């Protein structure tokens, strides 16, 4: 039977695949976006490493690592949304960050 545990696992996979896609497959878009944000390369690369590490840790069976990853990704998405607001991006530009933070909050609330 399909339950909340299976839904949580599916959402965790979606988060991880989404982060991998954005930060590996579409990395050139990230480079351009961080130029628009007027942030240095080391910030971009540090954020990418942290997000990909969290994506990997989300798949852990250790609850503490899942919680740590969720909290870290929520904080990073809050910063992303604030950065979008700072440069006066449209809501459409913020939808990926809003979707990601929503999925992470869902997983965190059902993991605690």
């Amino acid at each position: 039977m399909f339950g909340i545990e299976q839904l949580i696992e599916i959402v965790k996979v979606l988060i991880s695949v989404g982060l991998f896609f954005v930060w590996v497959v579409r990395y050139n878009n990230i480079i351009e976006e961080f130029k628009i944000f007027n942030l240095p390369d080391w910030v971009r690369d540090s954020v990418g490493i942290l997000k990909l590490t969290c994506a990997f840790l989300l798949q852990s069976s250790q609850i503490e690592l899942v919680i740590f990853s969720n909290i870290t990704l929520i904080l990073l998405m809050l910063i992303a949304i604030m950065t979008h607001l700072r440069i006066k991006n449209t809501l459409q530009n913020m939808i990926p960050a809003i979707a990601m933070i929503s999925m992470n909050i869902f997983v965190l609330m059902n993991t605690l």
Side-chain angles (χ1 to χ4, degrees), residues 43-54:
V43 170
R44 178 198 64 223
D45 294 341
S46 298
V47 168
I49 290 167
L50 191 53
K51 284 186 178 183
L52 291 172
T53 301
C54 287

Side-chain angles (χ1 to χ4, degrees), residues 57-75:
L57 293 176
L58 267 182
Q59 305 311 311
S60 173
S61 60
Q62 292 184 338
I63 196 81
E64 297 85 5
L65 293 177
V66 173
I67 291 170
F68 170 79
S69 298
N70 276 132
I71 291 171
T72 302
L73 289 169
I74 289 167
L75 291 173

Side-chain angles (χ1 to χ4, degrees), residues 10-61:
I10 290 168
V11 174
K12 285 168 42 179
V13 169
L14 287 173
I15 292 167
S16 296
V17 169
L19 289 170
F20 178 83
F21 182 77
V22 169
W23 283 90
V24 176
V25 177
R26 298 189 67 212
Y27 186 66
N28 288 333
N29 290 12
I30 292 294
I31 291 171
E32 294 306 314
E33 193 170 279
F34 271 72
K35 285 180 186 173
I36 293 168
F37 292 159
N38 198 28
L39 294 169
D41 293 350
W42 70 267
V43 170
R44 178 198 64 223
D45 294 341
S46 298
V47 168
I49 290 167
L50 191 53
K51 284 186 178 183
L52 291 172
T53 301
C54 287
F56 176 76
L57 293 176
L58 267 182
Q59 305 311 311
S60 173
S61 60

Side-chain angles (χ1 to χ4, degrees), residues 97-112:
I98 293 168
M100 187 63 68
I101 200 170
S102 300
M103 289 189 292
N104 277 283
I105 289 171
F106 170 79
V107 171
L108 181 63
M109 296 308 293
N110 287 286
T111 302
L112 294 176

